[in-house]
Amino acid sequence: MSNHLTATTLWQMSRVGQPVPLPDGSAAVVAVTTYDLETNRATSQLHRVDSDGTATAITTSDATHPAINPAGDTVSFVRALDDDGPKQLHVMPLGGGEARALTDLPLGVAESKWLPDGSGLIAVVPLLRGFLTPYETAAELAARQDRKLSAIVTEERVYRFWRRWLASGQVHHLFHIDAATGAATDLTPGLDRLLSSEADPVGTFDISPDGSHIAITLEVALEGRPYLQFAIHT
């Protein structure tokens, strides 16, 4: 008699993310997520899947949102620097080698895409509303820790997404991250709005083929339309 499909067996199944192909089409990198029912935690590892179907794990710790550079020799992804920290942008040679952290931002990085020339990446970086630089956001987070106050007051309509609170007043900025040095430059300084998906702002921007413009989608009401799209120079 075959086993019944239960909630437990569903959570024991691995989840395969969206594959990211190499420029020459010889392979793809994909995040595979597994769940631990005892600890109630999810862990994602990046796998390289060759054209013959051979899959090889290329990371040993939690890593998500892979992106391949135009040369096809480097993968970027986000993972935490420690167990309790936000997810930061990392790069790693696809041919083997250690991953290198590019950012150490107070609220981490949500997603990134490579510029067409491979010199850097454009990343979605959350900051606190009203504290619109990484330094200001870090100082405010430290001050909130010192207050030891757990109550949250918000006027936001969507204040929670599953297990994650959204009521901390975060906004999303686009940063240019230099691939060699990790230098971070805010391309949307002063922006006090959300990208169109506040829960997981993935896929809310794209880069023009020549790398000169970025199209982004903001959560803005304009003449009855919920979203506004516009372009900025890189």
Side-chain angles (χ1 to χ4, degrees), residues 128-234:
L128 291 177
R129 176 171 282 131
F131 303 90
L132 299 181
T133 69
Y135 175 81
E136 291 174 349
T137 287
E140 174 60 16
L141 289 173
R144 292 181 183 184
Q145 284 288 106
D146 292 340
R147 293 185 198 120
K148 295 180 173 57
L149 181 65
S150 60
I152 298 175
V153 178
T154 181
E155 296 182 0
E156 298 292 333
R157 177 178 59 85
V158 181
Y159 57 85
R160 187 176 173 90
F161 182 76
W162 295 97
R163 296 175 57 199
R164 185 155 65 89
W165 289 101
L166 303 174
S168 59
Q170 292 185 15
V171 294
H172 303 128
H173 284 220
L174 291 184
F175 273 66
H176 172 270
I177 310 296
D178 187 276
T181 66
T185 304
D186 192 347
L187 300 179
T188 54
L191 183 66
D192 199 24
R193 298 169 179 168
L194 290 166
L195 296 184
S196 61
S197 173
E198 62 182 288
D200 189 13
V202 174
T204 48
F205 76 97
D206 210 348
I207 305 171
S208 65
D210 64 359
S212 63
H213 288 74
I214 304 170
I216 63 177
T217 307
L218 291 176
E219 192 173 72
V220 185
L222 181 66
E223 299 177 357
R225 292 173 292 174
Y227 303 119
L228 170 67
Q229 294 182 339
F230 64 94
I232 61 173
H233 291 278
T234 60

Side-chain angles (χ1 to χ4, degrees), residues 11-185:
W11 284 110
Q12 288 172 341
M13 296 179 181
S14 298
R15 308 294 203 275
V16 178
Q18 182 173 340
V20 181
L22 271 66
D24 62 4
S26 62
V29 174
V30 62
V32 179
T33 303
T34 56
Y35 298 87
D36 188 324
L37 294 177
E38 296 297 324
T39 62
N40 194 29
R41 295 189 65 176
T43 301
S44 296
Q45 285 183 288
L46 300 187
H47 287 68
R48 175 183 173 129
V49 182
D50 292 316
S51 56
D52 62 359
T54 302
T56 306
I58 59 175
T59 59
T60 57
S61 58
D62 193 42
T64 59
H65 299 312
I68 308 297
N69 72 334
D73 58 9
T74 302
V75 58
S76 64
F77 55 90
V78 296
R79 75 176 180 196
L81 297 177
D82 53 60
D83 290 339
D84 298 323
K87 292 186 175 182
Q88 305 291 347
L89 183 62
H90 291 70
V91 291
M92 183 178 69
L94 269 174
E98 294 295 323
R100 175 170 58 94
L102 279 183
T103 64
D104 188 8
L105 295 163
L107 293 174
V109 173
E111 185 199 19
S112 65
K113 295 180 181 180
W114 286 90
L115 288 167
D117 63 2
S119 63
L121 303 98
I122 304 300
V124 177
V125 175
L127 298 172
L128 291 177
R129 176 171 282 131
F131 303 90
L132 299 181
T133 69
Y135 175 81
E136 291 174 349
T137 287
E140 174 60 16
L141 289 173
R144 292 181 183 184
Q145 284 288 106
D146 292 340
R147 293 185 198 120
K148 295 180 173 57
L149 181 65
S150 60
I152 298 175
V153 178
T154 181
E155 296 182 0
E156 298 292 333
R157 177 178 59 85
V158 181
Y159 57 85
R160 187 176 173 90
F161 182 76
W162 295 97
R163 296 175 57 199
R164 185 155 65 89
W165 289 101
L166 303 174
S168 59
Q170 292 185 15
V171 294
H172 303 128
H173 284 220
L174 291 184
F175 273 66
H176 172 270
I177 310 296
D178 187 276
T181 66
T185 304

